[in-house]
């Protein structure tokens, strides 16, 4: 699959699996991007928050995530029915190209890139009940590889189609439900791919829009 590097796909986690708040990036990385950022449209009136950006081998910002709703913790029996959040992942549409220093080849991005990043993002906040740390590591490795394979086959039977507005225009997304949330991915007219994942918020009522001022999220 043509995709961005897996490095930076998720923030580091503490030993107990909880997301490390200090690992979240400031707005500085978002401001370095050469592409527009996307989030939920104005119909969503809840909290919005920055997560992190991901860079290519030559340091260019290639993707990043914006959170909406309640900041999620790793899923547990006490939180799985209470958290309501949706995370929007924006991925720059880039062809395969030489790195800035000419020493390597940067991989192309595609809708599959957004699907994989969204799938891994959801996994980072998921911890199956009655599973210890060692077993979760094995489970996470297995599920991450599965997310990779599924993202490479968006026309396969594991995905359905879902039309959602992007900047007010009906847009077709690839959509997949999991026992611990949902994942979707599509493309915009602005030269970026959009992925999203969430739990507790239905994907069917969502809409996406270009963020006019990312600095306002700081």
């Amino acid at each position: 699959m043509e995709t961005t590097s897996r490095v930076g796909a998720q923030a580091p986690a503490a030993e107990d699996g909880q997301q490390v708040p200090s690992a979240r990036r400031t707005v500085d990385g978002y401001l370095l991007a050469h592409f527009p950022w996307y989030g939920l449209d104005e119909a969503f009136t809840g909290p919005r928050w920055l997560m992190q950006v991901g860079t290519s081998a030559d340091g260019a910002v290639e993707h990043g995530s914006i959170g909406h709703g309640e900041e999620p913790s790793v899923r547990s029996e006490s939180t799985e029915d209470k958290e309501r959040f949706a995370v929007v992942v924006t991925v720059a549409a880039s062809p395969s190209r030489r790195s800035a220093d000419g020493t390597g080849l940067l991989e192309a991005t595609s809708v599959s890139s957004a699907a994989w990043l969204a799938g891994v993002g959801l996994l980072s906040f998921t911890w199956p009940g009655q599973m210890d740390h060692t077993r979760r590591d094995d489970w996470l490795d297995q599920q991450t590889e599965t997310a990779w394979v599924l993202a490479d086959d968006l026309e396969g039977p594991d995905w359905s189609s879902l039309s959602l507005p992007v900047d007010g225009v009906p847009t077709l997304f690839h959509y997949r439900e999991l026992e611990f949330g949902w994942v979707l991915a599509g493309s915009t007219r602005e030269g970026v791919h959009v992925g999203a994942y969430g739990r507790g918020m239905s994907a069917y009522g969502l809409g996406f829009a270009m963020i006019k001022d990312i600095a306002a999220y700081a």
Side-chain angles (χ1 to χ4, degrees), residues 115-140:
W116 185 79
L117 288 167
V120 172
L122 181 61
L123 288 173
S124 69
F125 294 113
T126 302
W127 192 307
Q130 307 301 318
M131 185 174 288
D132 60 28
H133 290 271
T134 301
R135 290 181 60 201
R136 181 181 186 269
D137 287 344
D138 293 339
W139 176 87
L140 189 58

Side-chain angles (χ1 to χ4, degrees), residues 106-161:
L106 301 178
E107 295 177 320
T109 62
S110 65
V111 178
S112 291
S113 307
W116 185 79
L117 288 167
V120 172
L122 181 61
L123 288 173
S124 69
F125 294 113
T126 302
W127 192 307
Q130 307 301 318
M131 185 174 288
D132 60 28
H133 290 271
T134 301
R135 290 181 60 201
R136 181 181 186 269
D137 287 344
D138 293 339
W139 176 87
L140 189 58
D141 287 343
Q142 181 185 49
Q143 293 299 314
T144 298
E145 187 61 33
T146 298
W148 178 264
V149 172
L150 290 173
D152 204 24
D153 185 24
L154 294 177
E155 303 302 327
D158 292 289
W159 297 89
S160 60
S161 297

